[in-house]
Amino acid sequence: MAGAACAATAPKPALKLTTLDGKAFDLSAQNGKWVIVNFWATWCSPCIKELPDISAYVDAHKDKVAAIGLAYEDSDKADIEKFLKAHPLSYPVAQVDVMDPPKDFDTPKGLPNTYLIAPDGSVAKAFLGPIQMKDLDAIIKP
């Protein structure tokens, strides 16, 4: 296979980035909570369908669940912000460079691509394709 090898997701991935609203997000600062790390794009129909479910799930379990949305697309920041005005979320979103995705996560092979990070910072489950509240409940057991 030509090109760089795909790195597997780290057992306890690090993720530090700046959200669209200019705030810092550090996955390690979320220890003690479940964290939904969701790679998505504005052009992805299944992503658009699952975003409200993830947002509602985070709202319903604020004491034990956080989320970060990773807009995985080569678009202008303004276009993503416009999309989020029409589709507001209860959690922060950061734009991820498709040519330089987060090092501790495997490069998405499709979207949506979601990781459920356990309270100890380890990857509890990875999902390729849309997730539903029942998928999250099965692992988090609220």
Side-chain angles (χ1 to χ4, degrees):
M1 185 156 122
C6 284
T9 299
K12 285 192 172 187
L15 182 65
K16 289 183 181 185
L17 36 74
T18 302
T19 60
L20 292 176
D21 62 4
K23 295 181 181 167
F25 178 88
D26 183 350
L27 183 58
S28 67
Q30 307 300 317
N31 276 358
K33 283 189 168 190
W34 288 91
V35 183
I36 302 164
V37 178
N38 179 243
F39 288 83
W40 62 277
T42 59
W43 47 262
C44 166
S45 295
C47 300
I48 295 166
K49 186 173 188 248
E50 81 173 357
L51 288 173
D53 285 346
I54 294 171
S55 193
Y57 198 87
V58 170
D59 272 347
H61 303 95
K62 282 182 184 167
D63 57 327
K64 65 189 279 186
V65 179
I68 180 72
L70 302 178
Y72 188 70
E73 59 185 278
D74 191 16
S75 299
D76 289 335
K77 178 182 172 190
D79 291 338
I80 297 168
E81 290 170 332
K82 182 179 175 184
F83 173 88
L84 290 170
K85 279 191 175 53
H87 304 87
L89 301 176
S90 64
Y91 53 89
V93 172
Q95 185 172 9
V96 177
D97 185 344
V98 296
M99 301 308 286
D100 188 23
K103 302 282 183 257
D104 279 4
F105 289 88
D106 197 7
T107 302
K109 308 225 181 338
L111 295 175
N113 192 186
T114 306
Y115 293 88
L116 190 53
I117 309 298
D120 69 357
S122 65
V123 176
K125 177 94 174 157
F127 300 89
L128 181 57
I131 59 171
Q132 298 176 335
M133 289 189 187
K134 66 181 172 101
D135 300 319
L136 297 170
D137 278 343
I139 297 163
I140 295 172
K141 298 175 182 30

